[in-house]
Each structure stands twice: as C-alpha cells, then as structure tokens.
C-alpha cells in the first residue's frame, strides 16, 4: 500500500514562519512535522511515499531526499504556484499512486492514529471509495463537519451521533478522483458531497491525540507537549 503526504499548502496562518520554511518542515518535538509522519509510516510497513509540494517545495526535496534514511522510497509531485488544492493535488499524483487504494495524510497535523490500520482498511473499501479518520472537534472548530451513522459518514446534523472533524487522514480508491481533470484546481469537498450523498463514504472516530498545527501558537504548544513527553519517558 502506498501513502501520500499533502505538503503543498502555503501556510498563511503560520506566517511569518512559513515565509522562509514550508509548513511541513516546521519543527515540533525536535523534528519536522513531516518527519513524524515518515517515521511512523515506515514503522507501520509503508515503503512507497508520494509527497506533493508547491511553496518552497525545493526545501522539502532537499531535506527529505529519496527517503532512504527513513527506510522509504519517496517520489515528489510538484505543483504550480498557488497549488492545486487537495483533490487536484491527489489527482495529479495518481500516476505515482497506482491502481490500489492508498493512504492520504495531511502534512501539517500531528496524530497518533495507527497507520498500520490502513492496510486492513484498504481491503474493506469495495463499493466504498473513501474512508475518513474523524476526531472530536477541536476548540477552533467546535461545530464539526461530520457525524457517523455506524461507519457511514454523514454531514453534521444528519445523524443522531456527535459531530466530528476530519483528521486529515483517509484511505481512498483512485476511482474517487477519476472525474478530476488533470491539472485542475479542486478542493475535496465536491467529491465528499457526492460520495456522502450516495452513502459511499465510510469513517471511524479516532479517540487519541490529534493536533491541527495551524498557527504558531499551536505549533509552540505541540512542541512543548512532545518535549515534555520525551523527557518523561527518558
């Protein structure tokens, strides 16, 4: 199974830090955010990783290289200035991702969801081209977007369950992006709208740690928490 890390965003809310450093290379707990993903993906049995990039993307390639030091094979999918948004970026990278379901991870989050679960989930995607990892709503997004009816994803208010937030981690079939034209700038929402309306999108609630590292303040808080945890374990 292959994985794609989304790393093309400009990180406007992270300025001025992202004026000179791409967001996935910002440090927390002594290492870049994206390196946390790479190390955990390798430990979970992944070998082939695709990373898209746009803003200061050459720094990402120079820092991570071909992935050998992580036990991985990294391929890059460069995007034009301004990037292609989530669905457009994934669609452009499909030639690298192959014909089987793949894992997608946002490069600017920190989460302890067990990536090895993706290997099991990919075999359950028949007839369901997308599976989302959902988390409890963070303070900055208290209303949430989704809810779960069993394992079927609904929009908030369409089921009796609590509202949840997409964790930026999901398993997708290439077919989910088949209608996205090559090079198109396209968000994920239209594809989710269509899939959820047909009851084709499944999901699960992750009860563990998830941080949307969207501001310098949240980055600093995550850095303190990770360093404190490392100190406690040392």
């Amino acid at each position: 199974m292959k994985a794609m890390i989304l790393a093309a965003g400009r990180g406007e809310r992270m300025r001025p830090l992202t004026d000179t450093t791409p967001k996935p290379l910002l440090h927390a707990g002594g290492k870049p955010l994206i390196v946390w993903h790479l190390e955990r993906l390798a430990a979970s049995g992944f070998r082939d990783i695709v990373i898209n990039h746009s803003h200061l993307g050459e720094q990402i390639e120079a820092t991570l290289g071909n992935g050998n030091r992580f036990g991985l094979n990294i391929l890059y999918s460069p995007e034009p200035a301004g990037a292609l948004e989530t669905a457009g970026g994934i669609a452009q990278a499909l030639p690298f991702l192959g014909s089987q379901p793949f894992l997608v991870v946002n490069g600017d989050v920190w989460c302890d969801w067990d990536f090895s679960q993706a290997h099991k989930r990919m075999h359950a995607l028949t007839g369901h081209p997308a599976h989302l990892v959902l988390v409890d709503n963070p303070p900055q997004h208290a209303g949430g977007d989704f809810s779960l009816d069993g394992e079927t994803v609904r929009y908030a208010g369409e089921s009796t369950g609590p509202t949840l937030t997409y964790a930026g981690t999901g398993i997708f079939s290439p077919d989910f992006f088949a209608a996205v034209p090559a090079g198109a700038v396209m968000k994920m929402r239209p594809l989710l709208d269509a899939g959820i309306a047909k009851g084709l999108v499944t999901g699960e609630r992750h009860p563990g740690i998830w941080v949307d590292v969207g501001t310098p303040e949240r980055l600093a808080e995550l850095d303190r928490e990770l360093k404190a945890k490392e100190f406690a374990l040392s």
Side-chain angles (χ1 to χ4, degrees):
M1 187 180 191
K2 297 182 179 181
M4 180 173 183
I5 301 177
L6 302 176
R10 173 64 176 83
E12 288 290 346
R13 292 177 299 164
M14 274 290 195
R15 297 183 69 182
L17 298 179
T18 50
D19 287 342
T20 55
T21 303
K23 192 174 177 181
L25 292 186
L26 295 176
H27 279 63
K31 65 185 75 172
L33 292 169
I34 199 169
V35 170
W36 286 99
H37 288 329
L38 293 173
E39 291 178 348
R40 293 182 62 246
L41 286 167
S44 298
F46 285 86
R47 291 295 173 263
D48 295 311
I49 310 296
V50 177
I51 299 174
N52 69 336
H53 64 68
S54 177
H55 173 63
L56 301 177
E58 67 281 357
Q59 290 189 31
I60 294 176
E61 293 199 26
T63 300
L64 305 179
N66 61 12
N68 279 351
R69 66 188 175 98
F70 305 104
L72 298 168
N73 174 46
I74 297 177
L75 296 177
Y76 296 96
S77 180
E79 297 180 14
L84 300 176
E85 296 287 359
T86 302
I90 295 172
Q92 176 164 287
L94 286 179
F96 298 134
L97 291 166
S99 59
Q100 298 301 311
F102 50 86
L103 175 67
V104 172
V105 183
N106 279 3
D108 57 359
V109 301
W110 198 98
C111 184
D112 63 354
W113 185 72
D114 182 1
F115 287 145
S116 67
Q117 294 299 310
H119 299 288
K120 302 174 185 177
R121 279 289 178 182
M122 71 175 288
H123 299 297
L125 280 187
T126 303
H128 297 86
H131 179 83
L132 309 182
V133 178
L134 306 174
V135 293
D136 294 340
N137 302 324
Q140 70 270 16
H141 192 61
D145 298 302
F146 304 103
S147 58
L148 285 172
D149 184 1
E151 286 198 344
T152 300
V153 173
R154 308 290 187 193
Y155 278 115
E158 294 181 354
S159 78
T160 58
T163 61
L164 300 165
T165 293
Y166 177 44
T169 297
I171 304 157
F172 298 92
S173 166
D175 294 341
F176 193 68
F177 304 94
V180 182
V185 178
M186 186 173 182
K187 295 180 181 292
M188 184 74 86
R189 184 64 182 257
L191 302 183
L192 289 176
D193 284 346
I196 290 173
K198 296 176 182 177
L200 298 179
V201 179
T202 60
E204 64 182 271
R205 174 183 171 270
H206 171 58
I209 301 171
W210 176 79
V211 180
D212 172 15
V213 192
T215 65
E217 293 76 19
R218 292 206 290 271
L219 178 67
E221 181 180 357
L222 175 63
D223 183 56
R224 288 192 297 268
E225 290 177 355
L226 291 174
K227 287 178 178 176
K229 182 180 296 185
E230 182 182 9
F231 179 79
L233 293 175
S234 63

